Amino acid sequence: MTQERKAPQITVLDAGGQYCHLIARKIRELGVSAEVRASDTSAGELRGRKGIVISGGPASVYEAGSPRIDPRILHLPGAAVLGICYGLQIMAHELGGEVIRGEKGEYGMAVLRTAGSHPLLAGLNGETRVWMSHRDRVEAPPPDFISIAATTECPVAAMAHTTLPLFGLQFHPEVVHTEHGKEIYANFLFRICGCERDWDPRGRVLEIEADIRRFAGDRNVFFFVSGGVDSTVAFTLCLRALGPERVYGVYVDTGLMREGETEFVENVFAKLGAAQFHVEDARARFLGALEGVIEPEEKRKRIGEEFVAVQERILSGGDFLSGRWILGQGTIYPDTIESGGAAKADVIKTHHNRVAGIQMLIDEGRIVEPLSSFYKDEVRQAGGELGIPREFLDRHPFPGPGLAIRCLCSESEAPVERVGDGWILPVRSVGVQGDSRSYRQVLLVDGAPGDPGLHERATTLVNREVRVNRVIVRGGGAAPETLRRTRGTVTKDRLDRLRAADAVVRRLAAGQDFDGGIWQFPVILIPIGAADRPDSIVLRPVHSVDGMTAESVSIPAPLMTAFCQSLLALPGIAAVFHDLTHKPPGTIEWE
Ligand code: XMP
């Protein structure tokens, strides 16, 4: 679906990683239209922008192949430029300032002292707390620039040109830890760039519906829905635009979903007025495909292949490939642009594009993606506007391969091992160190689950004990010395055990309002057992903004007690653990 829209007021140039999306989201939250483009987008393509933000990124301006900018953007008529972190360094480097290579860098909170009252920092008086994350730094600003704020480690924490609208910040105003980050962006947008408020996802609903009608013409729309927020909101927009007779949805029941999920999804779609909604029962096929599989990536691959087969069968079974149908998808903005933050989404969603029928529809341009300009939180806002219930829109993200990647497997028995800090559990859990995923064992530390010091110790312990990726603590159940690794794959019995445990945890967490404040709460089944109970449960509540990094969350003692009591009352569960590991070095899922 092509949309003729006027250019956004602000462009964020992507110098790597997740920062650019965070910046664009913050700007949109302030009501100003913003897009993300590649860092080297030419000045000609950015004509007419009121402002350009050069994002942060992990590179050094001295590294070969580090992101570059078109220097002419620094002189674009009518556009102010703000460099953030790496963006500040590249601006300084281009304009003749001195960037020095840092040995150890500066990470975490710092106190910023402002010099004078610059409009960019209006409202910040004296000292304020900011979030720093950099190795290199600007030692001396370029000619005609002045330093407008400093920290103890960093003499040029903020700089501004004396006459041109060029600015740079070494810290990250887009992260929540920076005290007045939002004010700084508001200063840039409204005081410096002269932006007007032109962005409200709720206000776009009618416009998008009109676009859908125009694009569809007299064709009908077909969706594979997942029960997730994006595909449901996209489906609802099409439903409103074209009416219930012209929008068809299929939900594939893989048998890898949470308890009550299929009924829940059916119910939501019925309430939304979907007249043509079909549940494809593929449970036996998915279970068959996973038989005997141990390796996480092999599980993902088999699930992906099964999805391809089911979708292929459905597409060729109806007349969906005829010219009368187009395919609807819930693609959102970060998935449409190539950047570090989208890399994972590309990997995860590849199976869709391997379906020959879908590829044909894509090649023919018969795809409608009503949410392709929205971020996740904007999809939720639009969904609220469409009357989709809050309890649905606020659901935690849930991985496509479902419970299969929360059901760890093992082909043989093995003992646990006593080490200085606790016990090594010989299961393979996934982590991220640097840019790569690694599969290692798990350290069960001695200690009580409520001890806040344990969270901080977890990272140190992972760094020290090279064999492990994760640190967990025991909440209740069998004593560590009685535990052993058991044999187990993705079977109906183990999935039912995990589903029951997950349902218990969800019920208790929702009852105590613990669920609302967190990003995701995986419940994981691991093949660690004692006596006649073959498995254990790991609780993994995390805070996150976008899933790229995450913090392990403490569980209040009374809730932990309630979890343990209910989980240990289920058959087959030997012990309950709490995962203390942040991401990095752990990941959110265990796989
Ligand atoms: P990790 O485990 O890498 O997860 O920290 C980050 C986010 O991605 C989700 N995730 C997946 N989603 N298919 C998906 O659709 C997958 O294979 C998959 N693996 C992880 C995870 O739930 C978290 O939100």
Side-chain angles (χ1 to χ4, degrees):
M1 186 167 81
T2 50
Q3 292 159 356
E4 288 298 318
R5 302 232 175 278
K6 73 181 203 311
Q9 298 182 79
I10 303 289
T11 294
V12 181
L13 295 177
D14 176 10
Q18 45 194 305
Y19 307 101
C20 58
H21 286 297
L22 206 50
I23 296 169
R25 262 170 49 200
K26 291 285 159 186
I27 293 173
R28 288 181 178 190
E29 262 172 45
L30 289 161
V32 173
S33 53
E35 63 169 358
V36 170
R37 301 280 289 264
S39 68
D40 57 357
T41 304
S42 74
E45 290 177 70
L46 298 177
R47 228 180 286 285
R49 301 295 183 276
K50 289 187 175 156
I52 296 168
V53 181
I54 311 169
S55 86
S60 162
V61 290
Y62 295 113
E63 269 162 27
S66 57
R68 293 279 156 228
I69 53 165
D70 174 354
R72 290 170 303 174
I73 64 165
L74 302 173
H75 308 283
L76 208 56
V81 184
L82 173 64
I84 307 282
C85 191
Y86 179 83
L88 156 99
Q89 294 163 12
I90 192 153
M91 188 189 267
H93 185 66
E94 287 288 343
L95 297 172
E98 188 192 354
V99 180
I100 59 165
R101 294 204 78 145
E103 285 299 311
K104 61 182 177 65
E106 186 185 15
Y107 303 94
M109 299 306 301
V111 176
L112 183 83
R113 276 173 296 278
T114 51
S117 56
H118 191 277
L120 183 64
L121 304 178
L124 281 71
N125 296 321
E127 296 192 343
T128 176
R129 287 161 69 78
V130 297
W131 181 258
M132 286 284 194
S133 174
H134 63 107
R135 211 165 18 126
D136 297 356
R137 64 166 193 263
V138 175
E139 190 64 10
D144 300 322
F145 275 80
I146 49 165
S147 171
I148 54 171
T151 67
T152 7
E153 297 288 321
C154 192
V156 188
M159 67 177 194
H161 194 279
T162 47
T163 52
L164 299 173
L166 301 177
F167 314 89
L169 301 172
Q170 181 57 73
F171 56 93
H172 289 273
E174 63 277 7
V175 305
V176 285
H177 312 286
T178 294
E179 248 171 11
H180 294 286
K182 199 168 175 180
E183 281 97 316
I184 296 175
Y185 277 117
N187 289 339
F188 178 67
L189 299 173
F190 303 115
R191 288 175 189 255
I192 292 170
C193 300
C195 289
E196 48 203 68
R197 287 177 211 273
D198 67 340
W199 182 263
D200 178 359
R202 282 163 303 197
R204 296 274 311 280
V205 163
L206 291 177
E207 231 175 299
I208 293 175
E209 287 175 13
D211 285 341
I212 294 171
R213 271 191 293 276
R214 219 177 1 257
F215 181 76
D218 57 3
R219 298 175 297 183
N220 299 332
V221 182
F222 174 87
F223 270 88
F224 284 109
V225 295
S226 66
V229 173
D230 304 340
S231 61
T232 307
V233 174
F235 183 92
T236 311
L237 281 164
C238 289
L239 205 58
R240 295 221 328 185
L242 304 174
E245 294 312 316
R246 294 180 56 197
V247 188
Y248 189 87
V250 174
Y251 168 84
V252 178
D253 183 354
T254 60
L256 303 171
M257 308 312 280
R258 300 171 133 181
E259 190 175 285
E261 177 69 10
T262 302
E263 297 73 20
F264 180 80
V265 172
E266 273 180 312
N267 203 359
V268 167
F269 278 79
K271 282 199 184 131
L272 290 173
Q276 312 231 45
F277 183 75
H278 169 71
V279 175
E280 179 78 9
D281 182 357
R283 288 177 293 180
R285 298 184 62 115
F286 277 86
L287 211 51
L290 288 167
E291 201 177 309
V293 181
I294 308 281
E295 297 297 320
E297 283 311 326
E298 184 62 22
K299 285 193 270 186
R300 279 211 178 84
K301 182 165 160 269
R302 301 256 183 128
I303 292 168
E305 283 166 0
E306 209 42 59
F307 262 117
V308 170
V310 175
Q311 295 186 337
E312 204 75 77
R313 207 176 55 238
I314 295 170
L315 278 173
S316 51
D319 96 314
F320 300 118
L321 297 176
S322 80
R324 294 179 38 227
W325 290 87
I326 53 178
L327 180 76
Q329 288 193 315
T331 316
I332 64 171
Y333 189 51
D335 300 340
T336 63
I337 18 190
E338 269 183 44
S339 74
K344 172 121 193 185
D346 291 346
V347 173
I348 290 169
K349 291 183 181 160
T350 43
H351 69 258
H352 281 302
N353 301 341
R354 282 190 281 123
V355 178
I358 293 184
Q359 192 56 51
M360 186 192 101
L361 294 169
I362 293 172
D363 293 345
E364 292 178 2
R366 284 162 56 194
I367 299 280
V368 60
E369 295 176 318
L371 301 173
S372 61
S373 64
F374 283 176
Y375 284 110
K376 190 86 179 183
D377 42 348
E378 298 173 331
V379 173
R380 293 201 173 100
Q381 287 176 30
E385 191 67 18
L386 295 168
I388 300 176
R390 240 2 308 155
E391 51 150 354
F392 182 85
L393 296 174
D394 292 340
R395 294 216 300 171
H396 292 166
F398 188 72
L403 296 179
I405 60 165
R406 295 183 178 173
C407 181
L408 265 68
C409 302
S410 141
E411 57 195 339
S412 62
E413 300 204 353
V416 299
E417 180 194 335
R418 180 78 203 171
V419 289
D421 296 297
W423 301 81
I424 300 263
L425 304 187
V427 292
R428 290 170 73 237
S429 96
V430 63
V432 270
Q433 264 113 13
D435 278 340
S436 48
R437 287 166 104 71
S438 57
Y439 290 91
R440 299 199 186 137
Q441 307 185 87
V442 175
L443 178 66
L444 165 60
V445 277
D446 301 320
D451 175 359
L454 280 178
H455 281 267
E456 292 326 310
R457 257 179 74 209
T459 307
T460 321
L461 288 169
V462 170
N463 291 340
R464 181 172 351 139
E465 178 59 77
V466 291
R467 286 183 295 170
V468 307
N469 255 337
R470 310 240 172 204
V471 176
I472 60 177
V473 66
R474 192 171 63 100
E481 57 275 18
T482 66
L483 296 171
R484 69 194 149 77
R485 185 175 76 198
T486 55
R487 240 180 272 228
T489 54
V490 183
T491 57
K492 174 146 190 328
D493 279 357
R494 290 188 82 221
L495 282 171
D496 285 345
R497 187 172 295 149
L498 173 54
R499 231 186 309 268
D502 179 71
V504 159
V505 172
R506 273 203 295 160
R507 184 168 43 74
L508 290 169
Q512 306 249 339
D513 212 18
F514 180 72
D515 254 12
I518 53 179
W519 159 267
Q520 224 175 338
F521 191 168
V523 172
I524 299 121
L525 190 78
I526 57 172
I528 291 288
D532 56 352
R533 293 166 168 256
D535 287 307
S536 291
I537 289 293
V538 180
L539 304 171
R540 173 91 175 119
V542 291
H543 280 311
S544 178
V545 180
D546 50 15
M548 303 293 291
T549 59
E551 275 167 62
S552 154
V553 175
S554 304
I555 300 174
L559 186 59
M560 189 65 184
T561 308
F563 284 149
C564 290
Q565 260 170 11
S566 302
L567 289 170
L568 294 168
L570 296 174
I573 293 174
V576 177
F577 303 105
H578 177 200
D579 185 349
L580 305 171
T581 330
H582 301 312
K583 172 184 178 177
T587 47
I588 295 177
E589 305 290 349
W590 275 49
E591 307 183 356

